[in-house]
Amino acid sequence: MTANSSVAPSPLAGPTRDHLDWPFFDPEHRAFAERLDRFAVSPALTDIDHDDVDAACRTLVRRLGAAGLLDACVASEAPDGPPIDSRRVCLARETLAWHDGLADFAFAMQGLGTGAIGLAGSSALKAAVLPRVRSGEWLAAFALSEPDAGSDVAAMACAARADGDSYVLDGEKTWISNGGIADVYTIFARTGEAPGTRGISAFVVFADDPGFSVVERIAVMAPHPLARIRFENCRIPADRRLGAAGEGFKIAMRTLDIFRASVAAAALGFARRALDEALAHARTRRMFGGTLADLQLTQAALGTMATGIDAAALLTYRAAWRRDVQRLPTTREAAMAKMTATETAQSVIDRAVQMFGGRGVRSGELVERLYREIRALRIYEGATEVQTLIVARELLKGGG
C-alpha cells in the first residue's frame, strides 16, 4: 500500500504559496519551498508504504537526508556552521504536513532529537552524531516526558548519578517519539544540584547502551512510532552530558523554543490541506440544484477557515522571523503561534469534515486522517493550556 492508496483520490498537487510574498521571507526561502514541492510530489515521498509505520519512518528519514532537506533542521557540527533557520524549518514542516503527516514527523524529530546536541554538545559529540542524523543514517529522539512528569517537568523522577568518569541513569520516560527505532536519544534526568528544574541535566544515550530498554510501544490515533523507555543502571561516559550539570532544563527549553514555532507550521500544513480539500469538494458537490459552494453557509465557513489560517500563519512566521532576523527571544511569540495555529487547525479540519458530511467520517478519507493527525499537536511540546500560561508569564515578566 502506498502513501496515498488508503485515502480518497485528490486532484490537488500541492499547497498554495501566496504567503511566500510576505516580507518574512527571502529569495532563498522561496527557492527552498520549490525544492520541498519537488520532493513532495516525487516517488521519494509518494511511494512510501504506511502499513509498517516504523519502516516508513526509517525510509522517510533516509530519503529526506538523501535529498539534503535535513540540513534545514539538524545543526552543523562545524564551530562556524550556520545556525538553524526557523523559517526554513517552518516551511518544511508546513509543506510536508500538507502532503503526509508522517513525513512531517520524520523530519521534525531529526531536528528536535539533536537540537540539544547542537546547542550544548562537545565538539566530539557533535561530530559523532550530527552528520549521521543529518544524512538520515541515524534516527534521533528527544526524551523529556515521564509517566508522572509531562507539563510539570519539575516532577521528573528519572535520575543520573555521577560515578567516577561516568553517569548511571535509572528511571523511565514515556510518550517518546521515535522511541524503539531511534539510534540516539537526548535524555533529561535529575542530577540534584538544586530543587526543581534547576537540578536537571541533559545526556546523550545510544540505543545499544547497556541498561537501556524499550518496555512498551504506544499506539495512538494517528500512527506514529512512540514508546516508553527504561534505564536500569545504564552507565554512560560523563562526556555525554550536554552542557554543565543542572543546565538540562534550560537546554530543553532552548531546544523547544527553536522548534515550537515549527509545530504551529505543521498545524498550518494540516489546516491548509483541509481547506483546499473543502474548497475542491464544495465546488463539485451537487446540492439543491447547484453546488455546495453556492450555499451561503458554506461560503461563511470557508471564509472563517481561510481567515483563521492566515492569522495563524502570520503569528507563526513572525515568531520564526523574529528569531532568525532580529535574533531576539521568541518564547512568547512561539507560544502564541503554537497555541493559535493548533487550535485554529483543529477548528478548520472539523469544519472540513462537517462539510464532507457522512463521507468525512469514513475511514480512509483524507479529511478523516487530518482529523486524527491534528489532535496530538494541541498537546505535545506544550499543551494549549501551557502555552497560555507561557504567554501570560512573559507578559508579566516584561510588562508588555
Side-chain angles (χ1 to χ4, degrees):
M1 182 181 292
T2 65
N4 294 323
S5 63
S6 62
V7 298
S10 170
L12 305 175
T16 58
R17 291 299 190 187
D18 294 347
H19 60 301
L20 287 180
D21 290 336
W22 293 353
F24 296 124
F25 301 106
D26 299 326
E28 67 182 60
H29 297 108
R30 299 179 184 99
F32 181 64
E34 291 177 2
R35 283 180 58 200
L36 289 165
D37 288 338
R38 290 194 296 271
F39 174 84
V41 297
S42 74
L45 184 58
T46 59
D47 73 350
I48 296 292
D49 182 350
H50 282 52
D51 281 350
D52 185 336
V53 173
D54 289 357
C57 279
R58 292 189 184 98
T59 301
L60 283 163
V61 167
R62 285 196 302 270
R63 293 180 180 180
L64 286 163
L69 295 175
L70 295 178
D71 293 0
C73 66
V74 179
S76 170
E77 63 277 12
D80 57 349
I84 291 175
D85 184 275
S86 293
R87 289 166 294 175
R88 289 214 305 165
V89 175
C90 288
L91 283 170
R93 294 203 64 181
E94 182 181 346
T95 301
L96 293 171
W98 192 96
H99 288 275
D100 184 340
L102 199 60
D104 162 62
F105 170 91
F107 172 88
M109 284 313 306
Q110 294 298 88
L112 184 62
T114 57
I117 299 173
L119 288 171
S122 66
S123 297
L125 199 54
K126 290 179 182 179
V129 174
L130 297 180
R132 289 180 172 88
V133 174
R134 191 167 52 250
S135 70
E137 176 188 351
W138 281 3
L139 274 70
F142 179 88
L144 182 64
S145 295
E146 298 184 4
D148 296 313
S151 298
D152 183 10
V153 179
M156 183 179 295
C158 183
R161 58 180 174 84
D163 185 17
D165 60 356
S166 302
Y167 275 93
V168 179
L169 279 66
D170 287 285
E172 288 191 355
K173 298 288 180 180
T174 193
W175 301 111
I176 306 307
S177 296
N178 274 352
I181 65 172
D183 301 280
V184 58
Y185 294 77
T186 297
I187 303 293
F188 299 87
R190 183 165 299 286
T191 44
E193 289 75 20
T197 58
R198 293 177 296 155
I200 294 171
S201 300
F203 302 90
V204 171
V205 173
F206 297 120
D208 59 358
D209 282 332
F212 169 83
S213 62
V214 177
V215 295
E216 179 189 12
R217 296 300 300 274
I218 302 171
V220 290
M221 61 198 299
H224 293 78
L226 289 168
R228 178 165 58 97
I229 59 177
R230 180 178 295 159
F231 307 94
E232 295 180 285
N233 200 34
C234 179
R235 183 177 294 271
I236 62 172
D239 61 9
R240 287 213 226 137
R241 189 186 70 206
L242 301 173
E247 288 187 349
F249 179 74
K250 291 181 180 178
I251 292 169
M253 293 304 103
R254 287 174 64 198
T255 304
L256 291 175
D257 274 351
I258 293 172
F259 291 98
R260 185 165 282 142
S262 80
V263 181
L268 285 175
F270 291 141
R272 288 191 196 280
R273 184 60 185 267
L275 175 60
D276 290 344
E277 294 291 331
L279 280 167
H281 177 70
R283 286 167 173 153
T284 57
R285 175 73 163 93
R286 302 299 301 176
M287 185 174 285
F288 301 122
T291 66
L292 185 60
D294 294 326
L295 303 178
Q296 286 187 324
L297 282 174
T298 302
Q299 295 168 15
L302 293 170
T304 300
M305 294 158 76
T307 302
I309 290 172
D310 263 18
L314 286 163
L315 284 172
T316 300
Y317 287 106
R318 177 192 68 162
W321 175 84
R322 178 180 168 90
R323 180 180 180 274
D324 293 341
V325 177
Q326 294 185 307
R327 307 291 188 202
L328 292 172
T330 60
T331 300
R332 181 178 69 174
E333 290 76 13
M336 287 179 171
K338 201 267 187 185
M339 171 178 63
T340 303
T342 56
E343 293 293 327
T344 297
Q346 180 80 62
S347 175
V348 167
I349 293 167
D350 185 71
R351 283 175 180 262
V353 170
Q354 190 77 5
M355 204 174 296
F356 270 72
R359 183 181 150 196
V361 294
R362 189 176 68 181
S363 180
E365 285 289 341
L366 208 153
V367 291
E368 179 268 340
R369 173 174 64 79
L370 291 170
Y371 194 84
R372 289 183 287 107
E373 289 275 9
I374 190 56
R375 191 59 186 85
L377 271 68
R378 295 169 59 203
I379 297 172
Y380 78 68
E381 287 193 40
T384 295
E385 292 77 8
V386 173
Q387 303 309 318
T388 61
L389 295 178
I390 291 171
V391 172
R393 182 191 67 202
E394 293 297 309
L395 284 172
L396 292 168
K397 183 193 304 182

